[in-house]
Amino acid sequence: MNQVYEKVVKCYNSIKDRIPFQPKVALVLGSGLGNYADTMDVKGEISYSEIEDFPVSTVPGHEGKFIFGYVEKTPVVCMKGRVHFYEGYPVSDVVLPTRLMKMMGAEILFLTNASGGINPDFSAGCFMLIRDHISCFAPNPLIGSNIDELGCRFPDMSKVYDPELQTIIRSKAEEYKIPLKEGIYVQLTGPSFESPAEIRMLRTLGADAVGMSTVVEAIAANHMGMRICGISCVANLAAGMTDNPLTHDEVQDAANKAAPLFRELITKSISAF
Ligand code: HPA
Protein backbone atom coordinates (compact mmCIF):
# COMPACT_ATOMS: atom_id res chain seq x y z
CA MET A 1 0.00 0.00 0.00
CA ASN A 2 1.14 3.59 -0.67
CA GLN A 3 2.90 4.85 2.50
CA VAL A 4 0.97 8.11 2.62
CA TYR A 5 -2.31 6.24 2.35
CA GLU A 6 -1.16 3.67 4.91
CA LYS A 7 -0.67 6.51 7.41
CA VAL A 8 -4.21 7.82 6.85
CA VAL A 9 -5.62 4.31 7.29
CA LYS A 10 -3.58 3.86 10.48
CA CYS A 11 -4.93 7.13 11.90
CA TYR A 12 -8.46 6.11 10.95
CA ASN A 13 -8.13 2.68 12.54
CA SER A 14 -6.80 4.20 15.76
CA ILE A 15 -9.96 6.33 16.24
CA LYS A 16 -12.76 4.65 14.31
CA ASP A 17 -14.43 3.23 17.41
CA ARG A 18 -14.64 6.72 18.94
CA ILE A 19 -16.34 8.47 16.02
CA PRO A 20 -19.90 9.07 17.23
CA PHE A 21 -21.59 9.31 13.81
CA GLN A 22 -20.95 9.54 10.10
CA PRO A 23 -20.42 13.24 9.39
CA LYS A 24 -21.92 14.78 6.27
CA VAL A 25 -19.86 17.96 6.40
CA ALA A 26 -16.19 18.38 7.32
CA LEU A 27 -15.64 21.94 8.53
CA VAL A 28 -12.15 23.38 8.85
CA LEU A 29 -12.08 26.29 11.27
CA GLY A 30 -9.65 29.08 10.43
CA SER A 31 -8.27 31.80 12.69
CA GLY A 32 -10.94 33.40 14.85
CA LEU A 33 -13.45 30.60 14.33
CA GLY A 34 -11.95 28.29 16.90
CA ASN A 35 -14.96 28.63 19.20
CA TYR A 36 -17.45 27.69 16.50
CA ALA A 37 -18.11 24.37 18.22
CA ASP A 38 -19.69 26.26 21.15
CA THR A 39 -22.67 26.80 18.86
CA MET A 40 -22.95 23.09 17.95
CA ASP A 41 -24.72 20.24 19.66
CA VAL A 42 -21.46 18.44 20.47
CA LYS A 43 -21.43 14.62 20.59
CA GLY A 44 -17.73 13.89 20.89
CA GLU A 45 -14.16 15.12 20.58
CA ILE A 46 -10.84 13.56 19.64
CA SER A 47 -7.60 15.49 20.29
CA TYR A 48 -5.06 15.28 17.51
CA SER A 49 -2.44 14.30 20.08
CA GLU A 50 -4.43 11.11 20.81
CA ILE A 51 -4.22 9.97 17.20
CA GLU A 52 -1.17 7.89 16.45
CA ASP A 53 1.18 9.61 13.94
CA PHE A 54 -1.19 12.57 13.46
CA PRO A 55 0.44 15.97 12.73
CA VAL A 56 -0.15 18.39 15.62
CA SER A 57 -0.23 22.14 14.96
CA THR A 58 2.23 24.40 16.74
CA VAL A 59 0.54 27.74 15.92
CA PRO A 60 -0.87 29.77 18.84
CA GLY A 61 -4.66 29.93 18.49
CA HIS A 62 -4.74 26.60 16.64
CA GLU A 63 -5.59 24.13 19.39
CA GLY A 64 -5.91 20.76 17.76
CA LYS A 65 -8.93 18.48 17.89
CA PHE A 66 -11.77 17.01 15.90
CA ILE A 67 -15.16 17.99 17.30
CA PHE A 68 -18.23 16.01 16.27
CA GLY A 69 -21.62 17.62 16.56
CA TYR A 70 -24.80 18.71 14.89
CA VAL A 71 -25.32 22.06 13.19
CA GLU A 72 -29.10 22.11 13.37
CA LYS A 73 -29.80 18.64 11.85
CA THR A 74 -26.56 18.18 9.93
CA PRO A 75 -23.85 15.90 11.35
CA VAL A 76 -20.55 17.76 11.16
CA VAL A 77 -16.95 17.02 12.00
CA CYS A 78 -15.02 20.20 12.77
CA MET A 79 -11.29 20.63 12.69
CA LYS A 80 -10.41 22.99 15.49
CA GLY A 81 -6.91 23.87 14.36
CA ARG A 82 -5.18 22.78 11.19
CA VAL A 83 -1.56 22.13 10.35
CA HIS A 84 0.24 24.40 7.93
CA PHE A 85 3.01 23.66 5.48
CA TYR A 86 5.17 26.41 7.07
CA GLU A 87 5.28 24.44 10.31
CA GLY A 88 7.63 22.06 8.54
CA TYR A 89 5.32 19.14 7.89
CA PRO A 90 5.38 17.44 4.52
CA VAL A 91 2.38 18.50 2.48
CA SER A 92 1.06 14.93 2.66
CA ASP A 93 0.71 15.48 6.42
CA VAL A 94 -0.96 18.86 5.90
CA VAL A 95 -3.76 17.16 3.94
CA LEU A 96 -3.88 14.00 6.07
CA PRO A 97 -6.75 15.36 8.24
CA THR A 98 -8.76 16.15 5.09
CA ARG A 99 -8.29 12.60 3.87
CA LEU A 100 -9.17 11.27 7.30
CA MET A 101 -12.44 13.22 7.40
CA LYS A 102 -13.39 11.78 4.01
CA MET A 103 -12.65 8.34 5.40
CA MET A 104 -15.03 9.14 8.28
CA GLY A 105 -17.69 9.57 5.59
CA ALA A 106 -17.83 13.34 5.04
CA GLU A 107 -19.06 14.27 1.55
CA ILE A 108 -18.66 18.03 1.79
CA LEU A 109 -15.55 19.96 2.80
CA PHE A 110 -16.21 23.48 4.09
CA LEU A 111 -12.93 25.40 4.30
CA THR A 112 -12.50 28.63 6.23
CA ASN A 113 -9.46 30.79 6.80
CA ALA A 114 -8.19 34.28 7.53
CA SER A 115 -6.53 36.07 4.65
CA GLY A 116 -5.00 39.31 3.50
CA GLY A 117 -7.17 41.30 1.08
CA ILE A 118 -5.53 42.06 -2.27
CA ASN A 119 -8.61 43.36 -4.07
CA PRO A 120 -8.80 47.13 -3.40
CA ASP A 121 -12.60 46.82 -2.92
CA PHE A 122 -12.05 44.67 0.17
CA SER A 123 -11.65 45.93 3.73
CA ALA A 124 -10.51 44.30 6.96
CA GLY A 125 -13.29 42.15 8.41
CA CYS A 126 -15.09 41.37 5.15
CA PHE A 127 -15.90 37.85 3.97
CA MET A 128 -14.98 36.40 0.60
CA LEU A 129 -16.67 33.40 -0.96
CA ILE A 130 -13.88 31.44 -2.64
CA ARG A 131 -14.79 30.96 -6.30
CA ASP A 132 -11.47 29.52 -7.40
CA HIS A 133 -7.87 29.38 -6.31
CA ILE A 134 -4.28 29.76 -7.47
CA SER A 135 -2.17 26.86 -6.24
CA CYS A 136 1.12 27.26 -8.03
CA PHE A 137 2.97 28.92 -5.13
CA ALA A 138 2.26 26.02 -2.77
CA PRO A 139 3.44 22.42 -3.14
CA ASN A 140 0.89 20.13 -4.78
CA PRO A 141 -0.27 17.53 -2.23
CA LEU A 142 -0.79 14.93 -4.98
CA ILE A 143 2.91 14.79 -5.91
CA GLY A 144 4.28 11.28 -5.37
CA SER A 145 2.79 7.99 -6.41
CA ASN A 146 -0.93 8.34 -6.88
CA ILE A 147 -3.20 6.99 -4.16
CA ASP A 148 -5.48 5.02 -6.46
CA GLU A 149 -7.79 4.17 -3.54
CA LEU A 150 -8.62 7.89 -3.26
CA GLY A 151 -8.66 9.25 -6.79
CA CYS A 152 -7.07 9.45 -10.21
CA ARG A 153 -3.59 10.61 -11.22
CA PHE A 154 -4.65 13.75 -13.09
CA PRO A 155 -7.77 15.20 -11.47
CA ASP A 156 -9.81 17.84 -13.27
CA MET A 157 -9.70 21.17 -11.42
CA SER A 158 -12.19 23.17 -13.44
CA LYS A 159 -14.88 23.26 -10.72
CA VAL A 160 -13.14 22.74 -7.41
CA TYR A 161 -15.59 24.96 -5.49
CA ASP A 162 -19.02 23.41 -5.96
CA PRO A 163 -21.35 25.79 -7.83
CA GLU A 164 -24.47 24.60 -5.95
CA LEU A 165 -22.83 25.10 -2.55
CA GLN A 166 -21.74 28.57 -3.66
CA THR A 167 -25.34 29.38 -4.61
CA ILE A 168 -26.55 28.28 -1.18
CA ILE A 169 -23.93 30.36 0.63
CA ARG A 170 -24.73 33.41 -1.51
CA SER A 171 -28.44 33.09 -0.86
CA LYS A 172 -27.97 32.66 2.90
CA ALA A 173 -25.68 35.71 3.01
CA GLU A 174 -28.36 37.69 1.25
CA GLU A 175 -31.20 36.34 3.41
CA TYR A 176 -29.37 37.20 6.65
CA LYS A 177 -27.92 40.46 5.29
CA ILE A 178 -24.31 39.38 5.73
CA PRO A 179 -22.13 41.23 3.22
CA LEU A 180 -20.25 38.72 1.09
CA LYS A 181 -17.56 39.44 -1.48
CA GLU A 182 -16.35 36.82 -3.93
CA GLY A 183 -13.01 36.07 -5.44
CA ILE A 184 -9.89 34.06 -6.00
CA TYR A 185 -7.78 32.85 -3.10
CA VAL A 186 -4.07 32.25 -3.49
CA GLN A 187 -2.04 30.15 -1.06
CA LEU A 188 1.59 30.99 -0.42
CA THR A 189 3.70 28.92 1.92
CA GLY A 190 4.36 31.61 4.54
CA PRO A 191 5.28 31.94 7.33
CA SER A 192 6.55 35.40 6.40
CA PHE A 193 3.84 37.71 5.15
CA GLU A 194 4.19 38.84 1.54
CA SER A 195 6.20 41.82 0.37
CA PRO A 196 4.36 44.71 -1.32
CA ALA A 197 5.94 43.68 -4.65
CA GLU A 198 4.59 40.15 -4.22
CA ILE A 199 1.14 41.52 -3.50
CA ARG A 200 1.25 43.59 -6.70
CA MET A 201 2.28 40.46 -8.58
CA LEU A 202 -0.53 38.41 -7.06
CA ARG A 203 -3.07 41.12 -7.94
CA THR A 204 -1.81 41.10 -11.53
CA LEU A 205 -2.28 37.33 -11.57
CA GLY A 206 -5.92 37.72 -10.59
CA ALA A 207 -5.86 36.93 -6.87
CA ASP A 208 -8.27 38.72 -4.52
CA ALA A 209 -7.06 37.35 -1.18
CA VAL A 210 -3.89 35.65 0.03
CA GLY A 211 -3.27 33.19 2.83
CA MET A 212 -1.18 30.26 3.98
CA SER A 213 -3.67 27.40 3.88
CA THR A 214 -6.78 25.98 2.21
CA VAL A 215 -5.65 25.36 -1.37
CA VAL A 216 -3.69 22.20 -0.63
CA GLU A 217 -6.66 20.87 1.33
CA ALA A 218 -9.02 21.72 -1.54
CA ILE A 219 -6.78 19.90 -4.02
CA ALA A 220 -6.65 16.76 -1.86
CA ALA A 221 -10.43 16.86 -1.34
CA ASN A 222 -11.08 17.43 -5.04
CA HIS A 223 -8.89 14.40 -5.81
CA MET A 224 -11.22 12.32 -3.60
CA GLY A 225 -14.37 13.67 -5.25
CA MET A 226 -15.59 15.69 -2.26
CA ARG A 227 -17.85 18.68 -2.80
CA ILE A 228 -15.92 21.74 -1.62
CA CYS A 229 -16.76 25.27 -0.57
CA GLY A 230 -14.79 27.94 1.20
CA ILE A 231 -15.10 31.33 2.81
CA SER A 232 -12.20 33.55 3.71
CA CYS A 233 -12.33 36.19 6.42
CA VAL A 234 -10.25 39.09 5.15
CA ALA A 235 -8.44 39.99 8.36
CA ASN A 236 -6.24 42.76 6.97
CA LEU A 237 -5.39 44.52 3.77
CA ALA A 238 -2.32 42.86 2.27
CA ALA A 239 1.21 44.23 2.56
CA GLY A 240 1.81 47.62 1.01
CA MET A 241 -1.89 48.52 0.87
CA THR A 242 -1.71 50.41 4.15
CA ASP A 243 1.17 51.85 6.15
CA ASN A 244 0.67 49.37 8.99
CA PRO A 245 3.10 46.50 9.43
CA LEU A 246 1.31 43.11 9.55
CA THR A 247 1.26 41.05 12.72
CA HIS A 248 -0.28 37.68 13.60
CA ASP A 249 -1.99 39.33 16.61
CA GLU A 250 -3.71 41.83 14.33
CA VAL A 251 -4.88 39.00 12.06
CA GLN A 252 -6.30 37.13 15.05
CA ASP A 253 -7.98 40.23 16.52
CA ALA A 254 -9.69 41.05 13.22
CA ALA A 255 -10.77 37.44 12.74
CA ASN A 256 -12.11 37.32 16.33
CA LYS A 257 -14.12 40.50 15.77
CA ALA A 258 -15.67 39.14 12.59
CA ALA A 259 -16.39 35.76 14.20
CA PRO A 260 -20.06 36.22 15.25
CA LEU A 261 -21.20 37.04 11.70
CA PHE A 262 -18.90 34.41 10.24
CA ARG A 263 -20.41 31.80 12.57
CA GLU A 264 -23.91 32.78 11.51
CA LEU A 265 -23.09 32.52 7.80
CA ILE A 266 -21.55 29.08 8.29
CA THR A 267 -24.44 27.77 10.36
CA LYS A 268 -27.13 28.97 7.98
CA SER A 269 -25.22 27.63 4.99
CA ILE A 270 -24.52 24.19 6.47
CA SER A 271 -28.15 23.78 7.51
CA ALA A 272 -29.15 24.34 3.89
CA PHE A 273 -26.60 21.93 2.32
N1 HPA B 1 -1.00 37.27 4.09
C1 HPA B 1 -0.96 35.94 4.22
N2 HPA B 1 -1.73 35.27 5.06
C2 HPA B 1 -2.57 35.98 5.82
C3 HPA B 1 -2.67 37.38 5.74
C4 HPA B 1 -1.83 38.06 4.83
O1 HPA B 1 -1.84 39.30 4.69
N3 HPA B 1 -3.61 37.76 6.63
C5 HPA B 1 -4.09 36.64 7.21
N4 HPA B 1 -3.46 35.54 6.73
Side-chain angles (χ1 to χ4, degrees):
M1 204 194 290
N2 177 305
Q3 277 183 355
V4 171
Y5 186 58
E6 210 170 307
K7 190 165 175 181
V8 185
V9 172
K10 187 175 171 196
C11 286
Y12 178 71
N13 285 336
S14 81
I15 57 167
K16 68 174 192 280
D17 297 335
R18 296 177 51 201
I19 301 171
F21 53 60
Q22 178 180 332
K24 175 177 177 186
V25 177
L27 171 64
V28 181
L29 301 172
S31 302
L33 274 182
N35 294 332
Y36 181 78
D38 295 350
T39 66
M40 297 188 347
D41 177 13
V42 174
K43 299 293 181 198
E45 292 187 357
I46 302 174
S47 290
Y48 299 159
S49 56
E50 298 173 88
I51 310 173
E52 229 176 300
D53 278 356
F54 194 89
V56 179
S57 175
T58 57
V59 186
H62 281 263
E63 183 197 347
K65 57 183 164 182
F66 287 115
I67 304 174
F68 299 85
Y70 286 86
V71 173
E72 298 192 0
K73 292 203 171 75
T74 308
V76 175
V77 55
C78 270
M79 272 187 79
K80 181 169 181 172
R82 52 152 64 96
V83 285
H84 301 81
F85 185 62
Y86 61 72
E87 291 175 74
Y89 292 100
V91 66
S92 57
D93 271 0
V94 176
V95 301
L96 185 150
T98 307
R99 290 173 166 156
L100 187 55
M101 293 191 291
K102 168 75 160 71
M103 216 169 265
M104 293 175 192
E107 302 153 21
I108 294 176
L109 179 66
F110 198 146
L111 292 160
T112 68
N113 61 43
S115 64
I118 296 176
N119 185 321
D121 292 340
F122 291 1
S123 49
C126 75
F127 303 128
M128 183 189 88
L129 177 65
I130 302 176
R131 270 201 270 126
D132 201 351
H133 68 220
I134 295 173
S135 77
C136 42
F137 298 102
N140 192 302
L142 307 182
I143 289 174
S145 56
N146 185 52
I147 307 178
D148 296 328
E149 291 87 344
L150 298 183
C152 70
R153 173 77 291 189
F154 301 108
D156 174 55
M157 297 291 292
S158 48
K159 279 190 189 154
V160 175
Y161 299 87
D162 187 280
E164 278 175 40
L165 299 178
Q166 288 187 53
T167 303
I168 293 171
I169 295 170
R170 262 183 218 112
S171 75
K172 290 295 157 190
E174 205 176 304
E175 185 179 343
Y176 291 92
K177 306 208 174 348
I178 301 170
L180 184 63
K181 309 276 192 189
E182 299 194 10
I184 310 302
Y185 177 89
V186 57
Q187 176 176 355
L188 268 61
T189 63
S192 47
F193 288 114
E194 302 70 37
S195 69
E198 284 161 350
I199 293 301
R200 285 192 297 276
M201 171 192 74
L202 295 170
R203 186 180 301 118
T204 304
L205 295 179
D208 296 289
V210 57
M212 305 176 193
S213 67
T214 300
V215 172
V216 292
E217 291 136 299
I219 292 174
N222 181 66
H223 178 236
M224 299 185 288
M226 293 180 87
R227 297 174 69 203
I228 302 161
C229 60
I231 307 178
S232 185
C233 173
V234 177
N236 55 277
L237 288 179
M241 294 175 70
T242 67
D243 288 336
N244 308 338
L246 298 178
T247 66
H248 182 64
D249 287 348
E250 177 203 346
V251 168
Q252 287 223 285
D253 283 353
N256 288 340
K257 271 196 202 122
L261 264 193
F262 206 0
R263 274 202 290 266
E264 189 184 4
L265 181 56
I266 289 164
T267 298
K268 300 301 178 196
S269 299
I270 289 179
S271 327
F273 285 170

